[in-house]
Amino acid sequence: MRNAFDTIQHNVDLLTRPVVPEYGFVPYYSRLLPNLEAVKESMELLKGILFPGFLGETGSNPNTQTYYIGTGLERLYRLLREQIERCSEFFEGGVLPESAGNLALAFIDRLPEIKRLLCTDVKAIFEGDATVKFYEEVIYCYPAVLAMVHYRVAHTLLKLGIPVIPRIITELAHSATGIDIHPAARIDEYFSIGHGTG
């Protein structure tokens, strides 16, 4: 019988081979892949930026929102740039079409439109549910809002040609809400989902 060191070393050798014949369909990556925690942090920042005081970590004091949104956008830029760089293997030919920083900035330039669309979604949910008394209730309580924040962000990233990250983002919402929206779906303004689970 092998000792512990030999057993561990034998299995390390097996588990680190680039191609195991029985599992040849599973790719072996030597580069970094998108970091799930960094994508989650990006979404938390985005929720606070898009709905300050309601979602995410952005402060609710109007006097400090400019500061929080500004610092949030700076942090978002750094996180997104790094995650786009980590996706470089997934771009056609393994090459970014332009710098990851330029893609991150192009996304940030689209945030006002994402916010506008999300506001139409909140209004559609409010107008479609007679039991709702306040817009704040829709933003705080309806899983559809969370799903649409994730979808609209993911869809925008996908339209910019960024791979993998959009699927991670929509799957985060799917796990949290039960609402599964593919990032390539085409959803216009004033979109409402009554119930997302069951």
Side-chain angles (χ1 to χ4, degrees):
M1 182 168 186
R2 287 186 303 226
N3 63 32
F5 176 80
D6 290 338
T7 299
I8 290 169
Q9 186 59 53
H10 172 74
N11 284 285
V12 166
D13 292 342
L14 290 174
L15 292 168
T16 56
R17 288 182 186 170
V19 177
V20 177
E22 295 84 11
Y23 304 106
F25 60 90
V26 178
Y28 177 82
Y29 286 102
S30 59
R31 293 186 183 182
L32 293 174
L33 297 173
N35 180 291
L36 186 58
E37 292 307 313
V39 175
K40 286 179 184 178
E41 182 182 348
S42 298
M43 287 309 302
E44 285 304 307
L45 285 167
L46 278 163
K47 288 186 283 186
I49 290 165
L50 295 168
F51 288 109
F54 290 97
L55 304 174
E57 296 295 321
T58 305
S60 59
N61 183 336
N63 297 322
T64 60
Q65 280 184 5
T66 301
Y67 167 79
Y68 280 108
I69 291 172
T71 58
L73 284 175
E74 285 181 15
R75 176 75 181 139
L76 176 67
Y77 169 73
R78 289 192 302 273
L79 284 168
L80 193 54
R81 182 188 67 211
E82 180 182 336
Q83 296 316 302
I84 293 168
E85 286 171 355
R86 286 173 168 247
C87 285
S88 63
E89 264 188 42
F90 297 100
F91 284 95
E92 192 172 323
V95 178
L96 289 164
E98 56 183 291
S99 81
N102 285 345
L103 288 169
L105 290 174
F107 171 76
I108 288 170
D109 271 342
R110 286 162 176 77
L111 286 176
E113 176 60 9
I114 291 173
K115 182 171 182 169
R116 186 193 73 77
L117 289 168
L118 288 167
C119 288
T120 71
D121 299 334
V122 168
K123 187 172 185 184
I125 293 168
F126 180 84
E127 291 177 351
D129 188 338
T131 65
V132 178
K133 303 289 186 239
F134 308 101
Y135 285 104
E136 294 86 348
E137 182 182 356
V138 173
I139 297 168
Y140 274 130
C141 302
Y142 279 64
V145 173
L146 182 63
M148 289 308 292
V149 169
H150 283 246
Y151 158 74
R152 296 219 184 266
V153 166
H155 184 71
T156 301
L157 290 168
L158 189 70
K159 284 175 66 177
L160 287 169
I162 298 168
V164 182
I165 296 172
R167 288 302 295 264
I168 294 171
I169 290 170
T170 54
E171 286 306 319
L172 290 172
H174 183 202
S175 297
T177 66
I179 300 170
D180 185 13
I181 306 173
H182 193 283
R186 292 181 182 178
I187 300 175
D188 206 356
E189 55 191 26
Y190 294 98
F191 185 72
S192 173
I193 301 171
H195 299 282
T197 58

